[in-house]
Structure formats: structure tokens, C-alpha cells
């Protein structure tokens, strides 16, 4: 019973930390001090250490010699690498789903698209709650597109890549752009336009329609462009900000005033 209780506490600590890392409420590069984490999450030393070790294995946390743990950093180089990895892993899954998907797959894609279409985008509502809901619905839509694929290993790799891309997107592109658009910096018109284009429902609708029509070449072209949007937003944001790491990306409520 004691082992089961300890395992439950570790799982709870892991889920809480993982959530806040992926949403950048715990910022990339931030030190993870056990005393502060214990006070924030209300869990003990052992569950925290075990949770951090699991997150280190997922490359969401790094261990620093003689200094404990820190949230894994983000960078443009890694963002570019992740985009390439996504293309290699996700495209075969996407094409396999198009080839093999039946009525159940079609229904899942249409339902996920509808739910995404009902979400406010960060451009319209930059609050944490709205961004989290859009993130979850966006991930569910892409997961639905791939749900008729059968390679468990590729799906597992794809999930890992998606998690890393999520926090890269929020820290490097989304938050700096929204913060600047709120009036804290000038010259962010192009970055805001790139963000608006990247998260527009129209692109997702085109991908869905091409997939459901089994138009493989159009689906490939649309997905290739879609995968490049995250980097596109960051490049425009970076061009107008000498140091995007100074932006507090985790709390988007500050963006909206």
C-alpha cells in the first residue's frame, strides 16, 4: 500500500511539472529548486526527485552537475531540428492514415476539426486558458489526422516531437509576438501577421479536406507548409527582438493587460 501511495504521488508530481513545462509556465532554462517546487505543488522530496528524473529522460528537464535540475532550454537550432524531425516522422503517418482511414477515422477528423474551429485563437484571446484550450484542440486535430496509422514507434516519436514543439512555439514565437503587439515593442506587424496565419482555422480546414478527399499530393503540400509555420512565426519575432528570452512566456495574461 505504501509503494502504491508513493507511486501515486510521483505520478501527480510528474503530471503537474510536465504540464507547466509544456505550457512554459516553468520557463525554458529556469532552475527547478526542490524547496520551491515542494511549496508550489505540495508534494514531498522523493516524488519530486523521481518526477524530475522521468522528465529528464524525456528531455524536458536537464540535470546540472552539483546544481540540481533546470527546465530544458529552447533554441532556434533545436526548433529547426524539431521541424525536420516532424517532417520525417509525421508525414509517413499522415499518408498512411489517408490510405487506410475508414469512416471512423473520417468522423474523428471532422469532429476534432469542429472542436478546433470553436476555439478562440491567441490573437483573439491571449489568456492562458484560451491558449491552453486551443493547444489541446490543435493537438487533438493532428492526432486525429494520424489516428489510422499503425506504427506505434512512429506515433510515439511523433508525440515526443509534438511536446517539444509546443513549448518552443509558445516561448519563441507566441508570447514575444503577443507581448509586442500589446504595445510593449514596435515593428511587430509582420510577426503578428505570421502568427495569425499560422493558427488560422482555414489552413486546418484545407488539410482536412485534402485528407478526406484522399488527395495525397495536395495533402502533402499543405502539411509541409503547415509544419513550417512555427519557425516562420519565430523568425519574424526574432527579427524584431534582439533577445526573445527576456519575455515572460508562461503567463500570457500579462500580454492582454
Amino acid at each position: 500500500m505504501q509503494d502504491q501511495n508513493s507511486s501515486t504521488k510521483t505520478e501527480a508530481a510528474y503530471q503537474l511539472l510536465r504540464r507547466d513545462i509544456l505550457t512554459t509556465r516553468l520557463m525554458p532554462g529556469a532552475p527547478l529548486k526542490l524547496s520551491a517546487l515542494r511549496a508550489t505543488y505540495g508534494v514531498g522530496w522523493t516524488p519530486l526527485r523521481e518526477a524530475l528524473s522521468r522528465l529528464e529522460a524525456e528531455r524536458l528537464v536537464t540535470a546540472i552537475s552539483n546544481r540540481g535540475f533546470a527546465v530544458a532550454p529552447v533554441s532556434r537550432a533545436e526548433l529547426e531540428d524539431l521541424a525536420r524531425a516532424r517532417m520525417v516522422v509525421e508525414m509517413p503517418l499522415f499518408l498512411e492514415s489517408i490510405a487506410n482511414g475508414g469512416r471512423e477515422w473520417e468522423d474523428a477528423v471532422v469532429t476534432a476539426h469542429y472542436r478546433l474551429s470553436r476555439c478562440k485563437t491567441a490573437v483573439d484571446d491571449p489568456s492562458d486558458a484560451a491558449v491552453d484550450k486551443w493547444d489541446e484542440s490543435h493537438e487533438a486535430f493532428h492526432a486525429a489526422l494520424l489516428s489510422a496509422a499503425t506504427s506505434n514507434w512512429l506515433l510515439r516519436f511523433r508525440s515526443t516531437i509534438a511536446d517539444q514543439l509546443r513549448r518552443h512555439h509558445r516561448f519563441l514565437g507566441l508570447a514575444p509576438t503577443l507581448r509586442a503587439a500589446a504595445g510593449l515593442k514596435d515593428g511587430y506587424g509582420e510577426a503578428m501577421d505570421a502568427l495569425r496565419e499560422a493558427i488560422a482555422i482555414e489552413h486546418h480546414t484545407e488539410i482536412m479536406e485534402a485528407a478526406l478527399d484522399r488527395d495525397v499530393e495536395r495533402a502533402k503540400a499543405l502539411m509541409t507548409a503547415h509544419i513550417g509555420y512555427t519557425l516562420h512565426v519565430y523568425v519574424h519575432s526574432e527579427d524584431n527582438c534582439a533577445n526573445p528570452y527576456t519575455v515572460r512566456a508562461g503567463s500570457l495574461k500579462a500580454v492582454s493587460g
Side-chain angles (χ1 to χ4, degrees):
M1 181 65 70
Q2 185 174 357
D3 289 344
Q4 184 177 358
N5 187 44
S6 177
S7 177
T8 300
K9 290 180 179 179
T10 297
E11 180 65 22
Y14 165 78
Q15 293 294 343
L16 289 169
L17 286 166
R18 194 174 193 278
R19 177 201 65 192
D20 286 351
I21 289 171
L22 292 181
T23 58
T24 65
R25 289 177 177 84
L26 289 171
M27 291 192 294
L32 296 170
K33 298 180 179 179
L34 290 178
S35 57
L37 294 176
R38 186 183 183 194
T40 299
Y41 297 106
V43 293
W45 304 107
T46 299
L48 279 174
R49 289 191 183 93
E50 292 175 352
L52 289 169
S53 294
R54 286 178 62 182
L55 292 165
E56 183 188 9
E58 296 180 16
R59 299 188 66 179
L60 292 172
V61 162
T62 58
I64 305 172
S65 179
N66 299 321
R67 294 176 58 190
F69 295 94
V71 179
V74 297
S75 67
R76 176 171 180 168
E78 186 157 349
L79 178 58
E80 292 172 340
D81 192 26
L82 285 165
R84 288 193 297 270
R86 182 182 178 188
M87 182 72 69
V88 170
V89 171
E90 189 164 323
M91 192 63 76
L93 292 169
F94 184 40
L95 299 181
E96 184 182 358
S97 274
I98 293 174
N100 297 338
R103 179 62 182 273
E104 185 177 345
W105 171 73
E106 293 176 351
D107 289 345
V109 171
V110 171
T111 299
H113 174 270
Y114 174 75
R115 289 173 178 165
L116 179 61
S117 73
R118 302 294 293 173
C119 294
K120 291 183 178 180
T121 69
V123 175
D124 300 317
D125 184 354
S127 66
D128 285 340
V131 173
D132 287 348
K133 184 176 181 180
W134 187 91
D135 259 351
E136 291 167 4
S137 298
H138 182 251
E139 168 58 21
F141 172 70
H142 280 277
L145 286 172
L146 309 180
S147 62
T150 59
S151 174
N152 290 327
W153 276 108
L154 284 180
L155 287 168
R156 182 179 297 182
F157 294 149
R158 182 260 165 194
S159 179
T160 298
I161 293 166
D163 285 342
Q164 291 287 356
L165 276 170
R166 180 182 178 188
R167 69 193 195 94
H168 274 71
H169 176 225
R170 287 181 77 141
F171 188 78
L172 295 179
L174 179 60
T177 300
L178 291 175
R179 183 182 176 93
L184 299 184
K185 289 184 180 293
D186 296 324
Y188 263 72
E190 290 184 358
M192 200 66 183
D193 288 343
L195 176 60
R196 187 177 291 106
E197 181 182 16
I199 60 182
I201 191 61
E202 290 80 7
H203 294 296
H204 300 87
T205 302
E206 291 177 348
I207 291 172
M208 177 187 70
E209 291 175 344
L212 297 180
D213 290 341
R214 319 295 166 148
D215 188 340
V216 172
E217 292 306 314
R218 177 166 171 74
K220 285 174 62 177
L222 289 169
M223 186 60 77
T224 298
H226 189 70
I227 288 173
Y229 281 140
T230 297
L231 181 60
H232 184 58
V233 173
Y234 170 58
V235 168
H236 281 292
S237 179
E238 183 187 42
D239 287 344
N240 290 286
C241 182
N243 184 12
Y245 297 95
T246 61
V247 177
R248 173 64 176 93
S251 181
L252 297 179
K253 288 188 287 291
V255 173
S256 60

